[in-house]
């Protein structure tokens, strides 16, 4: 499995010389796996990073896009109306996303793509976009198989946190599939963290963005993150910024992400949702805060496996 980060900026896209190393696209990641059907790509979120992601997919001849939405704040949706795939004939986009305030993915995109906000109405592309509301966060998993595509099935949670878990018999997972599990984050909206478990290799990657520091990590969230080979986690602020004026904004810190890495036995930690005000050196400082936390808590070996996620980076999991 490989993770390609096309957008790692939070809140607002930026472009300035001091931020070229990490980049300024808002959230979009691509999950590459041999478990996906040959003409299918799997993306999470439609921040401005989905525009260059979609350009790559078109070049590869991808005809089917599975798009998982964490939530509908602008920085996670604003790229959708301008992604080439939204208008490419013969392409199908299948979207999965939570329902918040009674609003799911279809209503979100129909709202974004209408006058006076956008010149092309969603009605012009609706026949190529299939939307699924995720009503069973934690009780459903998405199973993706190279021959059978994607479907939602009920999950049976294992007793042992982090142990391999199997979808229940009602929707048993076929061999060789990618299982995508979901858990709510700590954020002002109904936001979803996605855990990707690649069946054939046993490798695990988790995206935990738009997630705020919590003093106690709920047991179910701990199980959701446990023993991930790669955790991509929101660390928008320094400790000082967070404590001074950002409590309740729904975002985390490097030190908090390091604690989660340590407590959940995560192998590698990538920090994301970089603040639009942060230059490359400011992000380096947040990475250093995370590493320092690990060194101070007796885990210097983990500190070597923390890095800042950057746009156009590809990480082998
Ligand atoms: Zn965000
Ligand atoms: Zn948000």
């Amino acid at each position: 499995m490989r993770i390609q980060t096309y957008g790692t900026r939070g809140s607002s896209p930026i472009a300035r010389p001091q931020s070229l190393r990490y980049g300024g696209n808002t959230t979009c990641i691509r999950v590459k796996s041999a478990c996906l059907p040959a003409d299918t790509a799997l993306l999470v979120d439609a921040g401005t990073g989905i525009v260059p992601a979609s350009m790559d997919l078109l070049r590869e001849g991808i005809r089917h896009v599975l798009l998982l939405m964490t939530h509908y704040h602008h920085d996670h949706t604003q790229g959708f109306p301008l992604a080439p795939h939204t208008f490419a004939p013969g392409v199908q986009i299948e979207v999965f996303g939570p329902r918040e305030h009674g609003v799911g993915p279809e209503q979100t995109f129909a709202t974004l793509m209408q006058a006076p906000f956008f010149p092309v109405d969603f009605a012009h592309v609706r026949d190529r976009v299939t939307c699924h509301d995720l009503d069973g966060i934690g009780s459903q998993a998405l199973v993706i198989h190279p021959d059978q595509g994607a479907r939602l099935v009920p999950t049976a949670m294992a007793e042992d946190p982090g142990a391999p878990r199997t979808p229940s018999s009602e929707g048993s997972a076929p061999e060789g599939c990618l299982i995508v599990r979901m858990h709510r984050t700590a954020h002002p909206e109904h936001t979803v963290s996605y855990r990707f478990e690649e069946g054939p290799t046993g490798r695990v990657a988790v995206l935990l963005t738009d997630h705020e520091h919590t003093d106690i990590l709920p047991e179910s969230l701990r199980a959701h993150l446990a023993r991930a080979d790669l955790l991509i986690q929101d660390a928008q602020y320094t400790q000082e910024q967070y404590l001074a004026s950002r409590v309740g904004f729904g975002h985390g810190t490097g030190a908090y992400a390091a604690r989660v890495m340590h407590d959940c036995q995560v192998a590698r930690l990538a920090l994301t949702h970089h603040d639009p005000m942060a230059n490359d050196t400011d992000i380096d400082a947040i990475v250093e805060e995370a590493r320092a936390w690990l060194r101070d808590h007796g885990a210097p070996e983990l500190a070597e496996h923390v890095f800042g996620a950057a746009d156009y980076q590809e990480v082998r999991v």
Side-chain angles (χ1 to χ4, degrees):
M1 182 159 52
R2 282 172 293 160
I3 304 291
Q4 217 166 351
T5 44
Y6 281 95
T8 57
R9 190 67 51 170
S11 306
S12 168
I14 53 143
R16 62 169 177 259
Q18 301 88 344
S19 304
L20 290 179
R21 189 154 44 85
Y22 287 102
N25 295 334
T26 54
T27 303
C28 178
I29 73 163
R30 179 181 182 185
V31 180
K32 291 178 167 176
S33 168
C35 297
L36 299 176
D39 66 344
T40 297
L42 176 59
L43 301 178
V44 185
D45 278 350
T48 60
I50 198 173
V51 177
S54 177
M55 291 163 70
D56 281 356
L57 303 190
L58 277 186
R59 273 194 292 274
E60 292 172 26
I62 295 292
R63 314 296 292 168
H64 189 188
V65 178
L66 290 171
L67 173 61
L68 312 183
M69 300 298 301
T70 61
H71 64 314
Y72 308 114
H73 283 163
H74 292 308
D75 51 325
H76 301 258
T77 58
Q78 62 205 162
F80 185 87
L82 287 168
H85 266 82
T86 304
F87 301 97
V91 163
Q92 286 294 321
I93 304 173
E94 200 170 358
V95 188
F96 294 83
R99 187 200 298 264
E100 176 68 13
H101 302 301
V103 174
E106 176 147 1
Q107 203 177 334
T108 297
F109 294 133
T111 303
L112 284 175
M113 296 179 68
Q114 65 172 336
F117 310 117
F118 197 70
V120 182
D121 196 276
F122 184 66
H124 290 276
V125 301
R126 191 188 298 269
D127 63 336
R128 297 202 301 278
V129 182
T130 307
C131 293
H132 306 271
D133 290 352
L134 294 172
D135 291 318
I137 308 295
S139 62
Q140 281 186 315
L142 186 67
V143 173
I144 306 172
H145 185 271
D147 301 323
Q148 299 165 23
R151 65 194 165 99
L152 284 167
V153 300
T155 47
M157 302 292 282
E159 296 290 314
D160 177 20
R165 290 165 292 182
T166 319
S168 73
S169 55
E170 190 185 334
S172 60
E175 293 273 315
C177 61
L178 180 73
I179 299 178
V180 187
R181 299 183 191 279
M182 308 158 212
H183 196 286
R184 287 194 68 155
T185 74
H187 197 59
E189 304 301 340
H190 193 144
T191 304
V192 182
S193 164
Y194 292 100
R195 173 184 172 104
F196 303 92
E197 298 175 359
E198 193 175 51
T201 63
R203 308 298 284 179
V204 173
V206 182
L207 175 65
L208 180 63
T209 190
D210 296 67
H211 175 73
E212 182 159 354
H213 173 106
T214 53
D215 287 336
I216 297 171
L217 203 58
E219 205 51 50
S220 58
L221 180 56
R222 187 186 295 267
H224 177 77
L225 304 174
R227 296 171 209 147
D229 297 289
L230 175 69
L231 170 63
I232 306 170
Q233 183 168 338
D234 186 321
Q236 184 160 348
Y237 306 128
T238 64
Q239 280 292 96
E240 189 182 350
Q241 287 172 326
Y242 178 74
L243 293 172
S245 58
R246 268 79 158 185
V247 173
F249 284 17
H251 301 289
T253 65
Y256 170 64
R259 175 156 73 84
V260 171
M261 178 199 201
H262 180 264
D263 290 358
C264 298
Q265 296 174 274
V266 167
R268 273 192 299 167
L269 172 66
L271 304 180
T272 192
H273 210 276
H274 308 307
D275 194 273
M277 305 291 282
N279 292 335
D280 288 335
T281 50
D282 299 322
I283 297 168
D284 288 342
I286 291 175
V287 172
E288 182 48 36
E289 279 194 359
R291 290 174 178 160
W293 189 95
L294 290 162
R295 286 193 296 267
D296 293 347
H297 290 79
E301 71 289 351
L302 281 182
E304 295 169 22
H305 300 287
V306 178
F307 59 98
D311 295 359
Y312 308 110
Q313 191 177 44
E314 183 166 291
V315 182
R316 188 174 291 275
V317 179

